[in-house]
Amino acid sequence: MKKESLRGLVMDRRQRFKKHDLLLSKTQSILKHYSCPESCNASCCKHHIIDFHRKEYEKILKNVDKESANILKSNVVKSELEGCYKAINAVEQCPLLVNSKCRIYDNRSEACKTFPFVIFQDDEAGFGLTLLLCPMSVNIIHDYAQWYKSVNLTMYNQLISMYEQYKNIDKNNDFCIQMKEQNLDSFIEFLERK
């Protein structure tokens, strides 16, 4: 491969991960306005694959107690997701979940910190953002609908309808909505004023 082509790939990858970090920052700005309701049964820790980046995985192992590190080591497999190193397949539930509480909460992975948002790979845009339905995310959907009210009444009505349908959800649901990157800054400003 020519040096120029390789440099173009590296820059493209660098730009992709810059976008990933931008989406990560925006999800954190949104999530600071919400918390899991008391009724939540830690549904985010069940029926998902939790992916780790190499440095993140190594940092978690270094910062948790020996028993938690051994549980993590014995339950990880090689990740299929580009840019990720290891993964836990939490088919029934994450092995680090005990009595609906995370053993390593303060050291949990990026995927856990950003739930119910999922940053996914997108061939055209680099990365995209999806919101999975869970007890907390229905509140985000309600606020997103309120923000949309002044922007697009059709979307507002669709989101309110979704909110009404799922507002009493008590566990995670695979149904999700895609959140448009161009809306995030304006939505965050809406939350700040709320």
Side-chain angles (χ1 to χ4, degrees):
M1 187 178 272
K2 290 185 176 181
K3 199 173 190 176
E4 295 83 27
S5 298
L6 186 60
R7 187 174 295 140
L9 278 174
V10 171
M11 290 187 66
D12 182 41
R13 186 180 177 132
R14 218 176 276 146
Q15 289 170 338
R16 286 170 44 86
F17 284 99
K18 187 176 179 181
K19 180 166 185 174
H20 174 274
D21 292 344
L22 178 68
L23 288 174
L24 180 63
S25 171
K26 291 181 185 207
T27 60
Q28 291 168 340
S29 293
I30 293 169
L31 287 171
K32 72 181 183 180
H33 297 277
Y34 301 93
S35 59
C36 296
E38 288 293 318
S39 62
C40 183
N41 65 356
S43 60
C44 54
C45 304
K46 301 170 184 170
H47 312 292
H48 289 284
I49 294 175
I50 303 162
D51 291 293
F52 301 93
H53 299 282
R54 179 183 297 271
K55 288 180 182 177
E56 176 182 46
Y57 177 73
E58 292 167 357
K59 182 180 176 186
I60 291 170
L61 289 176
K62 191 167 49 171
N63 290 317
V64 299
D65 63 272
K66 189 174 183 175
E67 185 179 354
S68 296
N70 288 336
I71 291 170
L72 183 59
K73 286 179 190 175
S74 65
N75 285 281
V76 295
V77 295
K78 186 172 179 354
S79 177
E80 306 254 335
L81 189 64
E82 179 190 345
C84 288
Y85 174 60
K86 298 282 186 179
I88 291 178
N89 187 355
V91 174
E92 292 300 318
Q93 73 174 36
C94 177
L96 295 166
L97 189 67
V98 178
N99 298 324
S100 294
K101 301 287 182 205
C102 179
R103 290 178 63 103
I104 63 166
Y105 185 81
D106 292 334
N107 294 295
R108 67 197 187 282
S109 74
E110 175 187 296
C112 298
K113 289 176 184 175
T114 61
F115 194 88
F117 289 102
V118 176
I119 299 171
F120 65 91
Q121 294 181 36
D122 181 287
D123 290 337
E124 291 177 23
F127 287 94
L129 188 63
T130 296
L131 179 64
L132 295 175
L133 288 182
C134 72
M136 177 176 55
S137 68
V138 292
N139 296 324
I140 297 171
I141 289 169
H142 181 266
D143 289 342
Y144 198 47
Q146 296 306 313
W147 171 80
Y148 251 118
K149 194 174 191 176
S150 65
V151 178
N152 181 322
L153 282 177
T154 302
M155 275 303 293
Y156 164 76
N157 289 328
Q158 289 174 356
L159 289 168
I160 284 296
S161 174
M162 185 184 302
Y163 170 76
E164 290 299 328
Q165 181 179 357
Y166 291 103
K167 68 181 175 184
N168 295 319
I169 193 171
D170 63 350
K171 61 182 180 178
N172 182 45
N173 184 310
D174 284 338
F175 186 81
C176 61
I177 64 167
Q178 189 166 354
M179 304 217 27
K180 297 182 180 190
E181 182 183 357
Q182 66 265 26
N183 295 343
L184 297 178
D185 287 331
S186 184
F187 179 55
I188 291 167
E189 288 173 18
F190 169 83
L191 293 173
E192 298 289 339
R193 291 190 309 264
K194 192 175 145 203

